[in-house]
Amino acid sequence: MDEEKKFRLYNSMTQEKEVFKPLVPGQVSMYVCGVTAYALSHIGHARAAVNFDILYRYLEELGYKVTYVRNFTDVDDKIIRQANELGEDPLSLSNRFCQEYISDMGDLQCRTPTHEPRVSDHMEEILAMITQIINNDYAYVVDGDVFFAVEKFPNYGQLSGQKLEHMRAGERVSVDSRKRNPADFALWKSAKPEEPSWDSPWGRGRPGWHIECSAMSAKYLTFNFDIHGGGIDLIFPHHENEIAQSCAACQEGCVSYWLHNGHVTNNNEKMSKSLGNFFTIRQITERYHPLSLRHFLLNAHYRTPLNYTVSQLEKSSDAVYSIYNTLQECEDALLPFQDGAQKEGAEQNSTTVRITKEAELLITNLKDEFKAKMYDDLNTGNILTGAFKEALRFINGSLKPLKKKNPKQQQLYKSLVETMKAIKKVLDTLGLLSPNTYSEVVQQLKAKALTRAGLTEDDVLRTIADRTLARKNKDFAKTDQIRIEMLEKGIQIMDVGNESTWRPRVFTEQE
């Protein structure tokens, strides 16, 4: 890669944007902390997945070969508690929710990582790392438990800024008296009745939470790799403890860039299962197209808090509908030039006809603006405005002239083809380009709007028929009343001449 391109990422370790330079030219190694699989995932989990999926896609677009690892925690206190409440085997329960998560990620068009390791499949690596940490005198064994000795690691707190003395002073919960320091954390937990456990040199037990990511990242990426990502809430203690463990096991170990996405909030309060103020991905996608949710999640810079509101989700749904409706209408308008009598002429002129100056400028602006925003620490906030919207407007404004035979018809045809390509490239990089046809996506978005409105399409068509009759009778008060009532339900009635049709509600720039 050419370093002069200045692709920059914000490194949480240095708290600065840094030019990205991988350890191995042309290759990127990336580890992202996944979910603890004990329930359906919420949209906070979706935000992390979508943002790091965009990074994955963009790195590949830049020409890198990416090894992307995202783990599943399938051995954990929360999993055990949930399984006990349901009378289910913990590993069976976690496997079920791993599969549900994979399904949700498919709906959100997140690409499958290179590796998706699970804790239960990596006990050998975990035990080996704990043994190495003990041998290097960074951990100690007490009654079958193994604790990391934080005071042995002088750089503890380098990522989060936490100080050991402050951790002691701020201790508000009962501390295990067997610990040498209240901040010491478990690498291995001795077995308790009716919990999953594995053999170890210290007796049967299971790993602590933090050690799993250190062991699995080392297995798939070695101790030195490029990017470690996750939610901002993982900086302390999880990622801080990972650094300590990994360096204790291998002093030369190092992660080049630490990336963290911001919270999703609900009424400006962090969305979490413990607070009970969350929405699962499934709850949202039952009422909104998954592309609408993905658009909502990327329509803010990944490091900033993202406040969930229905109105913002509605606006994202409207934006996706407008994009796909424009793409569908353009595809329909271009079809005669790709079939039948005009096909031969289009092919003959494809190499000689140049696109219009307007289209050339629009495409250049779109590419340059997109590149500038992505190079600036993946700044996807409002990335589908500006030049992107101008390109859509150009398409919408060119469809009628395209149908009129004139000497510049072939030039306009080629201009639309090239503009479509540029738009689709942006959508693909952002994960917003569906494998379905444009028409299918439009129909899916309309079906979700009907679900939210509690209506069927027959209901809407009957209402339109009633309104058409009122228009014919010049009962304009009734026509306005019907239009407003449907708008309140999220259905926009559109009048084209004497005909009326409908689409999901259109939002204005000011709303």
Side-chain angles (χ1 to χ4, degrees):
M1 290 297 300
D2 182 1
E3 190 176 340
E4 291 184 359
K5 289 183 176 178
K6 303 298 183 187
F7 175 42
R8 297 162 69 86
L9 292 172
Y10 182 86
N11 190 344
S12 299
M13 180 65 77
T14 62
Q15 298 184 26
E16 292 180 351
K17 291 180 187 177
E18 300 176 6
V19 174
F20 179 69
K21 187 175 182 180
L23 294 168
V24 179
Q27 298 181 32
V28 176
S29 47
M30 178 168 71
Y31 185 95
V32 175
C33 292
V35 296
T36 300
Y38 69 98
L40 290 174
S41 295
H42 57 66
I43 59 176
H45 300 132
R47 187 183 193 193
V50 166
N51 282 309
F52 285 105
D53 179 66
I54 291 171
L55 176 58
Y56 182 26
R57 288 167 177 267
Y58 196 56
L59 288 169
E60 289 192 330
E61 183 178 314
L62 292 177
Y64 292 110
K65 180 181 179 182
V66 184
T67 302
Y68 175 21
V69 183
R70 185 182 64 209
N71 75 299
F72 282 111
T73 297
D74 64 345
V75 179
D76 181 82
D77 292 342
K78 294 176 181 177
I79 295 170
I80 293 168
R81 284 197 297 269
Q82 181 76 344
N84 288 340
E85 288 179 12
L86 298 175
E88 188 174 351
D89 174 71
L91 289 176
S92 173
L93 178 135
S94 60
N95 179 64
R96 179 157 55 87
F97 285 111
C98 286
Q99 296 305 317
E100 296 287 8
Y101 178 83
I102 290 169
S103 176
D104 285 339
M105 292 305 101
D107 288 343
L108 290 174
Q109 296 195 170
C110 291
R111 290 180 178 172
T112 304
T114 316
H115 304 286
E116 292 185 283
R118 303 187 187 192
V119 178
S120 61
D121 294 328
H122 293 78
M123 288 301 160
E124 182 179 341
E125 291 81 8
I126 290 170
L127 292 171
M129 180 170 280
I130 295 173
T131 299
Q132 188 64 38
I133 293 171
I134 294 172
N135 291 342
N136 290 344
D137 198 30
Y138 284 94
Y140 55 95
V141 183
V142 183
D143 302 327
D145 291 327
V146 182
F147 295 105
F148 187 92
V150 294
E151 288 186 330
K152 295 273 188 176
F153 188 69
N155 291 327
Y156 191 77
Q158 61 185 303
L159 178 65
S160 63
Q162 298 275 0
K163 302 295 182 183
L164 280 177
E165 56 268 26
H166 296 160
M167 294 179 205
R168 287 196 200 95
E171 197 68 52
R172 293 181 294 176
V173 296
S174 58
V175 178
D176 190 331
S177 60
R178 301 173 302 160
K179 291 183 179 181
R180 297 176 185 174
N181 185 300
D184 291 351
F185 56 90
L187 301 177
W188 188 259
K189 299 180 178 182
S190 57
K192 295 180 178 61
E194 299 182 4
E195 287 188 358
S197 61
W198 289 261
D199 288 328
S200 82
W202 321 286
R204 286 190 68 81
R206 57 187 175 87
W209 173 32
H210 314 294
I211 191 67
E212 63 185 71
C213 288
S214 291
M216 290 189 286
S217 62
K219 174 176 179 176
Y220 293 97
L221 303 175
T222 77
F223 281 97
N224 294 282
F225 59 95
D226 296 308
I227 297 170
H228 196 314
I232 194 171
D233 55 317
L234 296 180
I235 291 178
F236 187 85
H238 185 53
H239 287 166
E240 196 70 75
N241 291 350
E242 274 193 65
I243 293 170
Q245 293 164 160
S246 296
C247 291
C250 176
Q251 291 186 357
E252 293 76 28
C254 181
V255 173
S256 300
Y257 305 87
W258 287 88
L259 272 60
H260 295 93
N261 65 275
H263 296 308
V264 176
T265 59
N266 188 353
N267 292 323
N268 297 311
E269 185 177 43
K270 179 194 170 186
M271 190 178 289
S272 69
K273 290 176 182 175
S274 60
L275 295 174
N277 65 344
F278 69 95
F279 295 96
T280 66
I281 298 169
R282 205 70 55 85
Q283 284 174 316
I284 301 298
T285 56
E286 284 173 356
R287 295 172 56 80
Y288 293 89
H289 197 288
L291 289 179
S292 302
L293 176 55
R294 186 174 177 110
H295 182 282
F296 166 73
L297 293 170
L298 65 82
N299 201 33
H301 192 279
Y302 75 90
R303 286 191 287 112
T304 63
L306 176 61
N307 194 41
Y308 169 82
T309 64
V310 171
S311 64
Q312 288 302 317
L313 196 52
E314 290 278 357
K315 289 176 184 178
S316 284
S317 184
D318 175 39
V320 174
Y321 182 92
S322 297
I323 291 168
Y324 272 86
N325 193 54
T326 297
L327 293 176
Q328 179 195 351
E329 291 181 348
C330 187
E331 185 178 63
D332 292 345
L334 295 176
L335 189 60
F337 293 83
Q338 299 162 349
D339 190 27
Q342 298 187 67
K343 181 177 180 181
E344 183 179 350
E347 290 176 344
Q348 288 175 350
N349 289 285
S350 61
T351 57
T352 57
V353 175
R354 294 180 58 85
I355 66 174
T356 66
K357 292 290 186 182
E358 181 184 6
E360 188 175 350
L361 181 60
L362 283 168
I363 292 169
T364 298
N365 288 344
L366 175 56
K367 290 180 178 179
D368 289 348
E369 186 177 293
F370 184 71
K371 178 180 176 180
K373 288 185 176 182
M374 294 297 281
Y375 271 19
D376 183 20
D377 190 33
L378 297 177
N379 187 9
T380 62
N382 300 314
I383 201 164
L384 297 180
T385 58
F388 185 87
K389 279 196 171 181
E390 288 299 318
L392 290 177
R393 290 191 188 102
F394 171 74
I395 290 176
N396 284 321
S398 301
L399 297 184
K400 283 186 179 179
L402 179 68
K403 296 175 183 178
K404 298 177 181 178
K405 288 189 176 183
N406 62 76
K408 294 185 177 181
Q409 193 178 40
Q410 290 297 335
Q411 186 181 37
L412 188 53
Y413 161 79
K414 190 166 185 179
S415 298
L416 287 170
V417 168
E418 294 304 316
T419 305
M420 284 270 282
K421 284 181 183 177
I423 287 173
K424 287 163 63 178
K425 183 65 174 176
V426 169
L427 294 175
D428 189 36
T429 303
L430 297 177
L432 289 172
L433 189 62
S434 175
N436 297 319
T437 66
Y438 307 139
S439 178
E440 286 170 338
V441 175
V442 167
Q443 292 307 313
Q444 290 163 1
L445 286 158
K446 293 179 76 172
K448 293 294 185 182
L450 291 172
T451 297
R452 297 194 295 276
L455 299 169
T456 66
E457 184 150 23
D458 285 343
D459 293 333
V460 176
L461 294 177
R462 279 194 295 270
T463 301
I464 289 175
D466 290 343
R467 185 172 176 275
T468 299
L469 181 60
R471 286 179 74 196
K472 185 178 180 179
N473 294 331
K474 298 186 178 181
D475 188 350
F476 300 119
K478 184 174 182 179
T479 61
D480 287 344
Q481 180 185 356
I482 291 174
R483 181 183 56 80
I484 292 168
E485 287 176 353
M486 293 300 287
L487 195 61
E488 289 173 349
K489 294 180 180 180
I491 304 298
Q492 185 118 22
I493 297 177
M494 315 287 287
D495 296 324
V496 182
N498 293 325
E499 300 294 325
S500 298
T501 185
W502 73 276
R503 54 153 290 170
R505 182 190 170 187
V506 178
F507 282 82
T508 64
E509 298 271 346
Q510 292 73 33
E511 288 183 278

